[in-house]
Amino acid sequence: MSTILPSSTTTAGRFGPYGGRYVPETLMVPLFELERAYLEAKSDASFQAQFENLLKNFAGRPTPLQFASRLTEKLGGPRIYLKREDLLHTGAHKINNALGQGLLAVKMGKPRIVAETGAGQHGVASATVAAHLGLECVVYMGTEDMARQALNVARMRMLGAEVMPVDSGSRTLKDAINEAMRDWVTNVRTTHYLLGSVLGAHPYPTMVRDFQTVIGREAREQILAAEKRLPTHLFACVGGGSNSIGLFHQFLRDPDVKMIGIEAGGRGAGLGEHAARLAAHQGFSGARPGVLQGTYTYVLQNEDGQIATTHSISAGLDYPAIGPEHAWLADQRRAEYSAASDQAALDAARLLSRTEGIIPALESAHAIAGLLERIPKMAGTDLAILNLSGRGDKDMDQYSRHL
Amino acid sequence: MNRPILKTRIQQRFAALREAGELGIVAYLTAGDPSLDATLEFVLALADAGADVMELGVPFSDPLADGPTIQRASERALKSGTTLAGVLDLVRRIRKTSEVPLVLFSYFNPILQMGIEKFASAAEAAGADGVLATDLTLEESEDYRRVLRAHHLDAIFLGAPTSTDERLAKIANCSSGFLYLISRTGVTGAKDTLPDDLPALLRRARAASKLPLAVGFGISLPGHVSLLGGLADAAVVGSALVAEIANATESGARASSIDAAAAALRLKVRALKQAALGGLSRREVAP
């Protein structure tokens, strides 16, 4: 592993060497203001009550922790539980963070939000929250993603959001973030950037994680109630890494709980064929620490520091960098990361659909594929929680082509 | 306290401009658009036509502080195979015939991947005078500043309309050469008018620092330059020049279209320099 450590005069927003705040000067004061507003909100009982009320009565929390009896039986290994984030309003965990940041935007007096989206789930969540709270909403989305997640484009427009097509670069999530940041830097006085994952400059990786930890808090309580013990394994897919960190974070101090993040292995191990940033041990090439879109973390790039294009069948995992906290958890070996291929994800989606009656999102299907691959190394006494981060309605077009 | 002992070409040029009461013209080009050979010709033409400082943009795959004009230039430059090492070699080639002050204008990641020490050492050896990393602010740049200083390179930072007075002072304190003020919240790109709150930003920066002030983002017309006289020390022109190159080389990077682009750049900078020398900008420039 290469160790290029940038220097920092502050430790704000650092996870080991990772994280930080690498943005044009125009955004620094707005980031300080956001951090201050967030810290205030964190200890503000009325803000928290509002947030919890929306999570419960608007989004539909708590989500069930479902024992996957037929999948467990079929695989003949560990007992498997599914954390059903797919049952949330809008169909994925993204609504947790969107509600939190939407309330913050209101608190900061920003009448307009911009967001980026890959699979469209964060875009739909942002558009939903904006409509619910009376905010103007503009969502940037790569044209390649607009084509493969057309249902979500229609949903955003139905909700009154403006969907701005991004035709630069690889026309996927990374390019949508560039364009959202350009909008934000231009309209920063009236606009909040509702970033959808644990990426970007401080305070985003910490703030988004905190809004997502409700997943792990519930799961912990639920598994203790159901099994009277902690899980041995946690599985979650990792694009930027918000659903996985949301599940993992509440178990970080439990050394016997293994955490496995599944990245997109795409169609091959060569640079440009995958989006696996932390799976070099499986032969995936091109990831080194670097700075992209505000944060220092593992980034898929060439030797000159130009960011690589990525490929995944799943738009939500198709991104060249990973949240900085994951980079640190990987370095510390507190969490493990591996990659599942496009084909493995498709196969896993079909398996879950037919054994449990749940059609997962392509992103979450990667987590299932990671679990399947791990089964031979697991014991019958093991107890796994898999974060089913989203549902598959948006992916029916792709699934139907692979039936 | 951050100034190198020997004056860089940038510092010498700004001192001369101040003495003459003249507004300087800082010209930005994306290096390697459409080729490094072409950029060499353009830089020499611009310096000859009166550009006081040249900024060489290092192309980056994800230029999130840039508008469409420079985004497309970066794409063209990367397509022609431009790397940071190639841009450093271009600096060396420029230095064979020109003493124009040179600033390397880059996103941080290419510098970080080369290694800050290796980059600074190569930049110094090639004859560069300063470096500006768009997405690097004072909080994250302690090592970077120390290394640049050790290699007699000016560390130039951005000041923005959103920066508080206190921050402007801190930024200036970390900078040498000049302070680059962003005229408006937003990305690079030509605009018709200057923002109304620009004079206020310039006054705040003037109060915070004795460094020369260069104003960029959205400056494209002689009229903009005239207005800046007496308020700033230099105007930075980028996208307007890059657009000239894009127009002239639209049908390909043949020698004739490179020459045509160079001629267009000359005309543009001459017009800006005329505006800088005339009328309003002859007024006193500051302390």
Side-chain angles (χ1 to χ4, degrees), chain A residues 7-9 14 21-23 25-26 28-29 32 174 178 182 185-186 288-291 301 304-307, chain B residues 59-64 66 71 83 109 113 134-135 137 139-140 142-143 158 160 162-163 167 171 185-186:
Chain A
S7 75
S8 172
T9 51
R14 290 276 169 183
R21 242 183 309 230
Y22 297 89
V23 293
E25 172 61 22
T26 309
M28 286 302 281
V29 166
F32 292 138
K174 167 179 78 87
N178 285 338
R182 289 180 187 124
V185 79
T186 305
R288 282 197 313 283
V291 167
Q301 54 186 315
D304 301 315
Q306 304 296 340
I307 309 308
Chain B
F60 184 52
S61 53
D62 293 83
L64 55 79
D66 286 300
Q71 284 175 46
T83 62
N109 198 50
Q113 298 307 319
T134 320
D135 50 355
T137 57
E139 280 83 358
E140 309 288 4
E142 198 177 306
D143 278 359
L158 299 168
T162 50
S163 309
R167 260 190 90 71
I171 294 165
T185 61

Side-chain angles (χ1 to χ4, degrees), chain A residues 56 129 182 204 230 254 386:
Chain A
K56 181 179 172 199
V129 167
R182 289 180 187 124
Y204 282 101
L230 287 174
D254 304 305
L386 184 144

Side-chain angles (χ1 to χ4, degrees), chain B residues 136-220:
Chain B
L136 195 61
T137 57
L138 63 107
E139 280 83 358
E140 309 288 4
S141 61
E142 198 177 306
D143 278 359
Y144 163 92
R145 282 181 266 136
R146 185 177 43 72
V147 173
L148 290 194
R149 209 156 49 228
H151 288 282
H152 310 103
L153 294 163
D154 284 322
I156 297 151
F157 286 92
L158 299 168
T162 50
S163 309
T164 57
D165 292 353
E166 188 198 350
R167 260 190 90 71
L168 285 174
K170 275 196 210 166
I171 294 165
N173 209 29
C174 292
S175 307
S176 62
F178 62 94
L179 186 61
Y180 187 131
L181 288 175
I182 300 173
S183 71
R184 67 187 75 234
T185 61
V187 294
T188 58
K191 294 275 191 300
D192 291 338
T193 56
L194 294 179
D196 294 339
D197 56 0
L198 180 58
L201 172 65
L202 284 160
R203 273 193 294 275
R204 292 200 295 125
R206 201 60 98 186
S209 168
K210 293 208 182 324
L211 279 178
L213 304 178
V215 182
F217 282 43
I219 315 276
S220 59

